[in-house]
Amino acid sequence: MARTKRGRNSSTSFLIVDAQSVKNTDSAGEKGYDAGKKVSGIKRHIAVDTQGLPHAIAVTTADVTDRKGALQALGRCATDLQEVQSILADGGYQGLPFADAVSELLGAEVQIAKRSELHTFAIMPQRRVVERSFAWLEKCRRF
């Protein structure tokens, strides 16, 4: 409904995928350790459209890889995502097994957004949309 109010099709054809590792409280039943981020807790996997509206979400322990968590999120909503033609992801999703699994699951192609230079900050226009969605989840409007 939010997409049609803005003059868009009700179903999206393009998704942006990302994951975020966060510390969780002591009351959480399960948690894992993300060695890359050095965080003990959970990992949120989200797929959003170009407006930042979530279309697939999964919450796992932090030790689950980005690829595996994204496939879990997309698998839960596969029937609603049949119009998706392309998925944009960062370097953590690189690899033929992930691309093949997405192609089999949704029939979509995976595009990997790469930085041109290492250790430099650069804004990637399409990637910032998913980061903004994570900021909204944290109730932080800085993005």
Side-chain angles (χ1 to χ4, degrees):
M1 198 158 93
R3 288 180 56 83
T4 54
K5 280 184 181 178
R6 295 182 179 172
R8 313 278 293 205
N9 289 337
S10 60
S11 57
T12 186
S13 62
F14 184 75
L15 289 176
I16 307 164
V17 177
D18 201 10
Q20 179 185 48
S21 295
V22 292
K23 293 179 182 178
N24 60 349
T25 63
D26 294 332
S27 63
E30 297 180 33
K31 63 182 179 178
Y33 183 72
D34 183 356
K37 302 284 185 196
K38 296 185 171 113
V39 171
S40 178
I42 61 169
K43 190 177 280 190
R44 301 175 185 146
H45 307 273
I46 189 170
V48 299
D49 62 11
T50 55
Q51 298 172 352
L53 300 171
H55 288 268
I57 297 174
V59 178
T60 63
T61 57
D63 57 346
V64 173
T65 65
D66 291 356
R67 293 181 289 272
K68 193 179 283 188
L71 289 174
Q72 183 179 351
L74 294 171
R76 287 182 180 174
C77 303
T79 56
D80 297 330
L81 300 175
Q82 294 304 313
E83 300 287 325
V84 175
Q85 298 172 359
S86 184
I87 293 177
L88 179 67
D90 63 10
Y93 297 89
Q94 194 168 5
L96 198 56
F98 178 71
D100 288 343
V102 169
S103 179
E104 184 179 317
L105 190 63
L106 302 177
E109 88 175 73
V110 176
Q111 300 173 19
I112 303 296
K114 294 183 182 178
R115 289 189 292 180
S116 57
E117 298 178 30
L118 291 175
H119 307 294
T120 58
F121 178 76
I123 295 174
M124 296 182 195
Q126 301 257 320
R127 292 273 311 137
R128 72 171 178 78
V129 174
V130 72
E131 299 299 339
R132 185 182 65 199
S133 297
F134 278 129
W136 286 340
L137 287 174
E138 290 290 327
K139 298 181 183 171
C140 173
R141 299 294 293 218
R142 289 180 93 177
F143 288 111

